Amino acid sequence: MNVPFVDLKAQYLSIKSDIDGAIQSVIDDTAFIKGKYVERFEEEYAERYDVRHCVGLASGTDAIYVSLKALGVGEGDEVITVANSWISTSETITQAGAKPVFVDIDADHYTIDSALIEKKITSKTKAIIPVHLFGQPADMRKIKHICDRHNLHLIEDCAQAHFAEYSGQKVGTFGVAGTFSFFPGKNLGAYGDAGAIVSNDDGFAVKARMYANHGALIKHKHEIEGINSRLDGMQAAILSVKLRHIAEWNRRRLQHANMYSELLGGVSGIAVPQVREDAKHVFHLYVIRVPNRDALQKHLAEKGISTGVHYPTPLPLLPAYKYLNCQPSDFPIASGYMDQILSLPMFPELTREMIEYVVSEVKLFLNS
């Protein structure tokens, strides 16, 4: 049996007629840049998130960058974020002119360790960017309290956590901005790069939309210099179709995760994901820990099972951040896990047979 890491073709086939119709409508209307399809998706996403504003953008990376620029973060500032994430989270801080300051991860949940944040705050700190990694909400109660106490901007990186919740509140709605990626493999994915910002702050939303549209809300009326980062009509139409299915797809992901954990629970030599108390995890990824990860990954590949590593190197230990002079001992949890974490296949269309096959091969390897 072959088990892909993710199967975007299977998802497409399940909603093919609606997707094809949406794409054809955009072509018929030649509504490729801005226009009614973008406006409709922004309205729909804002309504589903119960927020006043959704600003569609070209990517999730741009969503973080535009948020920082709209908040005035720049030269001489520091922004705190987590040590284990995709580089988009930190590179945008640098691109905005600020310095990224990294914090180790929570040993149980892989998100930023809220108990370590205040040690990293200085007079230069302007914002905190927690990442809801793998679909697991960060400890938002404590993080929000820290931001309020120190008068810091709170930007939530929700690229892997569409509609995840903490204490009954959707991630992305705790701070001034929630940033989303609609990269094809995400829980809610487009058919190319796409992203968005959600916010309840009217002034911030205006600045973000202006900055992402060449510094203008009205064509040729450029109040500032900005960038070109717009959600295109084709991706917006596709996302509107998929938005109708996201609740069911997230439900299936949770069901698959529970099945994995039930079948792998108690197996010696493996740590299965833990869900934060009072949180709704949407399992963009199902990540286990094993001491001999590379050998297990090779074994699974030989059996037709695709896996991933998210992420093989903590951000502060990448060559890109050599100038920060960070050491593995500065981030003992993230560094200790880097050779142990393995992402198993996870997508809504997984079958029980596939999951059982993956689990059987993991057990076979661990017991050999």
Side-chain angles (χ1 to χ4, degrees):
M1 180 185 296
N2 289 317
V3 184
F5 184 63
V6 62
D7 191 343
L8 298 180
K9 184 69 173 292
Q11 184 183 83
Y12 165 66
L13 291 175
S14 72
I15 53 174
K16 183 178 186 300
S17 60
D18 288 341
I19 290 290
D20 290 352
I23 293 173
Q24 190 62 54
S25 294
V26 175
I27 295 173
D28 290 343
D29 293 336
T30 63
F32 303 118
I33 302 294
K34 304 179 72 173
K36 67 180 182 180
Y37 296 101
V38 174
E39 292 171 0
R40 182 179 69 184
F41 174 72
E42 288 179 337
E43 291 170 359
E44 291 171 344
Y45 203 65
E47 181 180 358
R48 289 289 295 272
Y49 255 83
D50 195 26
V51 294
R52 290 198 294 273
H53 305 281
C54 171
V55 181
L57 298 165
S59 70
T61 303
D62 281 357
I64 303 173
Y65 175 70
V66 169
S67 295
L68 289 165
K69 296 297 289 186
L71 291 169
V73 175
E75 194 71 32
D77 295 335
E78 295 178 350
V79 178
I80 293 173
T81 193
V82 69
N84 189 35
S85 181
W86 179 239
I87 196 171
S88 294
T89 310
S90 54
E91 70 183 354
T92 49
I93 296 171
T94 305
Q95 289 161 1
K99 175 185 175 182
V101 176
F102 296 104
V103 174
D104 205 0
I105 61 173
D106 177 326
D108 292 329
H109 307 110
Y110 307 105
T111 58
I112 190 169
D113 189 337
S114 58
L116 302 177
I117 291 175
E118 288 191 285
K119 298 177 183 178
K120 298 295 182 80
I121 295 175
T122 71
S123 61
K124 297 180 180 180
T125 307
K126 291 297 185 293
I128 299 176
I129 307 180
V131 181
H132 304 297
L133 198 66
F134 308 151
Q136 171 94 265
D139 187 3
M140 293 312 300
R141 185 182 295 109
K142 291 183 180 178
I143 296 171
K144 179 71 164 62
H145 182 64
I146 291 170
C147 287
D148 290 345
R149 185 164 63 245
H150 294 273
N151 194 29
L152 303 175
H153 298 303
L154 174 55
I155 303 169
E156 298 174 67
D157 183 341
C158 310
Q160 299 184 2
H162 308 75
F163 296 97
E165 297 179 6
Y166 180 80
S167 293
Q169 182 175 341
K170 293 182 182 67
V171 299
T173 64
F174 288 86
V176 65
T179 67
F180 292 86
S181 168
F182 302 123
F183 182 81
K186 304 298 188 185
N187 291 35
L188 182 63
Y191 287 166
D193 276 319
I197 300 168
V198 299
S199 181
N200 279 312
D201 187 309
D202 298 339
F204 164 81
V206 169
K207 290 178 182 178
R209 189 176 295 279
M210 182 185 300
Y211 190 81
N213 190 46
H214 296 290
L217 295 176
I218 301 172
K219 193 171 184 179
H220 304 307
K221 303 290 186 180
H222 303 278
E223 299 184 32
I224 59 172
E225 289 184 330
I227 64 170
N228 177 20
S229 180
R230 297 175 296 207
L231 175 63
D232 71 63
M234 193 76 74
Q235 303 305 340
I238 290 166
L239 289 167
S240 284
V241 171
K242 288 192 169 190
L243 187 59
R244 300 197 292 266
H245 301 274
I246 186 62
E248 172 60 18
W249 289 340
N250 279 348
R251 186 194 67 79
R252 291 184 196 173
R253 286 176 180 272
L254 178 58
Q255 185 179 54
H256 298 335
N258 288 338
M259 187 181 302
Y260 268 131
S261 293
E262 180 181 351
L263 295 175
L264 290 171
V267 176
S268 179
I270 186 170
V272 299
Q274 304 298 307
V275 179
R276 188 183 303 282
E277 185 178 357
D278 204 20
K280 177 184 175 183
H281 195 321
V282 295
F283 284 98
H284 171 60
L285 298 171
Y286 185 88
V287 180
I288 62 172
R289 293 198 320 273
V290 290
N292 42 0
R293 190 270 313 284
D294 291 347
L296 173 58
Q297 187 173 35
K298 180 181 178 182
H299 168 79
L300 294 176
E302 291 171 349
K303 299 298 182 179
I305 300 168
S306 296
T307 58
V309 178
H310 301 84
Y311 294 95
T313 306
L315 291 172
L317 303 184
L318 288 170
Y321 299 105
K322 186 178 181 179
Y323 70 95
L324 293 175
N325 297 315
C326 295
Q327 304 299 320
S329 58
D330 298 329
F331 310 95
I333 306 302
S335 298
Y337 285 178
M338 62 185 288
D339 296 322
Q340 300 178 15
I341 51 177
L342 183 66
S343 302
L344 299 182
M346 173 56 75
F347 53 94
E349 296 76 22
L350 269 176
T351 65
R352 183 180 184 89
E353 182 182 20
M354 288 177 177
I355 294 173
E356 289 178 339
Y357 176 62
V358 173
V359 170
S360 68
E361 289 301 330
V362 171
K363 288 182 175 179
L364 179 65
F365 175 82
L366 292 175
N367 292 328
S368 62

